[in-house]
Amino acid sequence: MNILHIQEAAAYIRGITSQPWDVLLVLGSGLGGVADMMTDAVRIPYSEVPHFAVSTVASHAGQFVIGNLKGHRVAIMQGRVHFYEGHSMDKVALPVRVAHALGARVFIVSNAAGGINRSFGVADLMLMTDHINFLGMAGNNPLMGPNEDSLGPRFPELTIAYDLELRALARAVAIEQHVSLQEGVYFGLSGPFFETPAELRFLRLIGADAVGMSTVNEVLAARHLGMRVLGFSGITNVARLSSDEGEPPNHEEVMAAAPKIAPKLQTIVLGVLERIRA
Ligand code: HPA
């Protein structure tokens, strides 16, 4: 973790829009719509921000949209970079650390994911209750290396990685707005391969409800900084637990499901923002 990089990126953004941020919101593949509802929005492409990596995935716009939403100063990330693109964990975590430097204390994150839980269907939205970090367990995570004690502890704990109060708010909004909301454990791996049926059976066995290629490392950086985290997985495809079951997953299928998920995510995120004091 390079504190100078965090400071230089934050200073650049402050030079464009100086109002402190409350909330960082990351919108996963195809889930970008909320940005259109912000007032006085300023757009900053990642390519202009010092030290930022730019996503190579076509469906990721690659910009911050910073503005006012439901009484909060919100920075939306349209697009993110992934470990599978060849970026370091540091680059994956940098936007979260910069958001914290700019004042954000709440991190709302979303992703596209494959459904492993057999009761999940395509276009379901899942509230993340916890995660399993396959890469992190094997030593790939954004806290490897010397700790920056001014940012957070050497040994952060993750008993409640996903904030209980924010989860309760999300459930309350879902009930009130009649949005069906699944809940479960997100399994984070690197991609870019979709999983084999044997791998998916393994994931189901160890307690995963959904699987995806992002999110976990951003959440780790946020929790290290003491930010409150709320996470959602949009189920864009369901797992094939044997090779003769259903159609193989592909990126087009992921993008086709996203517009069905985006309105649900949007309703819940707006409702949560309305109810929280960041
Ligand atoms: N596996 C991993 N990542 C994903 C999937 C999947 O099936 N769908 C969307 N992101």
Side-chain angles (χ1 to χ4, degrees), residues 236-251:
T236 53
N237 55 288
V238 291
R240 294 169 90 212
L241 298 180
S242 77
S243 46
D244 55 8
E245 178 186 299
E247 292 300 310
N250 57 63
H251 189 60

Side-chain angles (χ1 to χ4, degrees), residues 88-199:
S88 66
M89 287 290 177
D90 246 14
K91 292 283 184 204
V92 173
L94 182 62
V96 176
R97 291 175 170 148
V98 170
H100 179 268
L102 291 168
R105 295 295 177 266
V106 170
F107 177 43
I108 305 178
V109 63
S110 63
N111 53 65
I116 293 174
N117 185 318
R118 292 310 236 179
S119 69
F120 290 3
V122 170
D124 273 357
L125 184 65
M126 183 191 90
L127 176 66
M128 293 171 67
T129 56
D130 206 345
H131 71 227
I132 300 171
N133 180 9
F134 215 40
L135 287 167
M137 288 169 140
N140 269 315
N141 70 69
L143 292 189
M144 296 300 284
N147 188 52
E148 188 56 58
D149 293 334
S150 63
L151 295 185
R154 172 72 287 190
F155 299 108
E157 65 88 30
L158 293 167
T159 312
I160 304 175
Y162 299 86
D163 190 83
L164 285 174
E165 189 190 339
L166 295 180
R167 275 195 257 161
L169 290 182
R171 282 189 206 106
V173 175
I175 290 168
E176 188 187 294
Q177 299 291 325
H178 308 291
V179 174
S180 70
L181 186 60
Q182 305 278 14
E183 299 200 9
V185 174
Y186 176 88
F187 190 100
L189 38 66
S190 83
F193 286 104
F194 289 104
E195 304 71 34
T196 67
E199 286 166 345

